[in-house]
Amino acid sequence: MLTTLSYSPNTADLFDAIAGLAGAVFLDSGSPYGQQGRFDIISACPYITLTTQGLTTIIETENGILNSDEDPFLLVKNYLKQATFTPVPAPENLPFIGGAIGFFAYDLARRLEKLPTLAQQDLPLSDMVIGIYDWAIIIDHHAKKSRLIQQNNSRKTGAICADVLKKLQQSVVTTHHQPVKLLADFQANFTPQTYAAAFNRIQTYLRQGDCYQVNLAQRFQAPVAGSPWQIYKLLRQHNPAPYAAFLNHPDASVLSLSPERFLQVHDNHVETKPIKGTQPRDPDPVSY
């Protein structure tokens, strides 16, 4: 079922009403602060949630909770196969009619290959959190249209969509608007000296052929007052990105402001557009 909604150039105003719902997600093109993206996708209350930590995946459905030690990628694939997503009639141009939205953490790679355990896991973050959604609001900023797509894989979907529409019509905001305030200065986990030493060590690895690319990242952290959604709204104003996202999950909220699309798959064609690592190598490897 497809329902036409009133269009707003700032989807964050719509998401305000549902940001506090379980599993609320906002795939954000950055409008109106940025003009590179086209579509925004918002949803909440997935009818299936898969959460992986280590060797166990917790599967939450309408019928209860299951634990599985199967390959988490295969679990997501199999649950998607069981879903029924009816395509919308032409000429509607919707990038999403239902499916999986979530995140894979770095440690999920341990399900694909054996890696040494060297780093301390000091953040209580799941290795994978995937929600399978059968409804979404799609905002097309080029066509200036907003539509709600409802698939009804879940017995509760109709009631959820009716509640969401009511919240949007009444402009009901479910999030707590505590003012955002930084409570202390940001602290890095590198000093300038240790960062320089790590950089020099990487240069040695590169020259010796032990690696070809290294992402030398450092963490900046600080205590802050305010809800994650309010923080995200401030960030998107100052740094709009065409592939940004906000995900509200029980163990963590994900605030992503990515300017690059890693992969796109369409009609059996895979396209990648990473920003880093795209500079051609110097034809003379010695001078490089």
Side-chain angles (χ1 to χ4, degrees):
M1 185 172 71
L2 199 64
T3 303
T4 300
L5 308 176
S6 59
Y7 169 76
S8 170
N10 191 347
T11 305
D13 293 339
L14 293 178
F15 194 72
D16 259 328
I18 69 167
L21 295 180
V25 293
F26 175 21
L27 306 186
D28 180 12
S29 68
S31 176
Y33 308 106
Q35 306 300 323
Q36 297 182 58
R38 175 176 179 177
F39 293 103
D40 293 342
I41 301 170
I42 65 176
S43 189
C45 304
Y47 71 99
I48 297 175
T49 302
L50 300 99
T51 304
T52 301
Q53 185 67 62
L55 299 177
T56 302
T57 298
I58 301 172
I59 306 161
E60 299 179 61
T61 72
E62 290 181 316
N63 299 320
I65 298 176
L66 304 172
N67 289 346
S68 175
D69 59 0
E70 289 189 55
D71 180 339
F73 299 103
L74 186 60
L75 286 172
V76 173
K77 184 177 181 180
N78 288 339
Y79 275 101
L80 283 173
K81 281 184 178 179
Q82 298 173 19
T84 302
F85 298 121
T86 304
V88 296
E92 294 290 348
N93 182 18
L94 299 182
F96 184 80
I97 60 171
I101 302 175
F103 68 83
F104 299 148
Y106 279 107
D107 279 332
L108 192 63
R110 299 181 184 279
R111 300 299 296 266
L112 302 175
E113 58 181 316
K114 292 183 178 180
L115 298 170
T117 303
L118 302 177
Q120 178 184 359
Q121 188 177 20
D122 59 343
L123 293 177
L125 187 66
S126 298
D127 297 334
M128 180 187 83
V129 178
I130 294 291
I132 300 181
Y133 299 80
D134 60 354
W135 72 272
I137 297 175
I138 314 296
I139 296 89
D140 183 343
H141 293 294
H142 288 187
K144 293 181 170 49
K145 291 182 178 180
S146 297
R147 287 153 291 183
L148 183 148
I149 177 76
Q150 179 181 330
Q151 294 286 355
N152 289 326
N153 280 280
S154 164
R155 293 189 298 270
K156 298 180 180 178
T157 300
I160 292 171
C161 289
D163 182 56
V164 167
L165 289 174
K166 183 178 179 180
K167 284 180 168 60
L168 295 178
Q169 291 167 0
Q170 296 178 348
S171 299
V172 175
V173 177
T174 59
T175 52
H176 177 56
H177 286 278
Q178 180 184 2
V180 176
K181 182 179 180 182
L182 197 64
L183 302 179
D185 292 338
F186 278 95
Q187 298 294 323
N189 64 336
F190 276 100
T191 66
Q193 294 75 24
T194 57
Y195 189 89
F199 183 87
N200 292 333
R201 189 160 63 250
I202 289 170
Q203 293 296 302
T204 301
Y205 293 154
L206 290 169
R207 294 189 184 97
Q208 293 177 347
D210 291 333
C211 59
Y212 62 89
Q213 179 178 325
V214 176
N215 182 10
L216 179 57
Q218 58 180 316
R219 180 192 300 170
F220 292 88
Q221 61 184 16
V224 64
S227 73
W229 170 237
Q230 295 303 316
I231 295 170
Y232 178 80
K233 289 203 326 184
L234 288 175
L235 290 173
R236 75 187 296 269
Q237 290 180 30
H238 295 285
N239 184 32
Y243 305 105
F246 175 84
L247 291 81
N248 178 23
H249 291 292
D251 58 350
S253 294
V254 178
L255 289 67
S256 173
L257 297 168
S258 177
E260 64 181 357
R261 184 182 65 222
F262 182 55
L263 288 174
Q264 181 185 56
V265 181
H266 184 69
D267 290 338
N268 293 322
H269 291 277
V270 179
E271 178 185 81
T272 180
K273 281 188 175 181
I275 292 176
K276 62 184 178 183
T278 55
Q279 179 68 26
R281 185 183 177 94
D282 192 292
D284 183 354
V286 175
S287 65
Y288 181 78

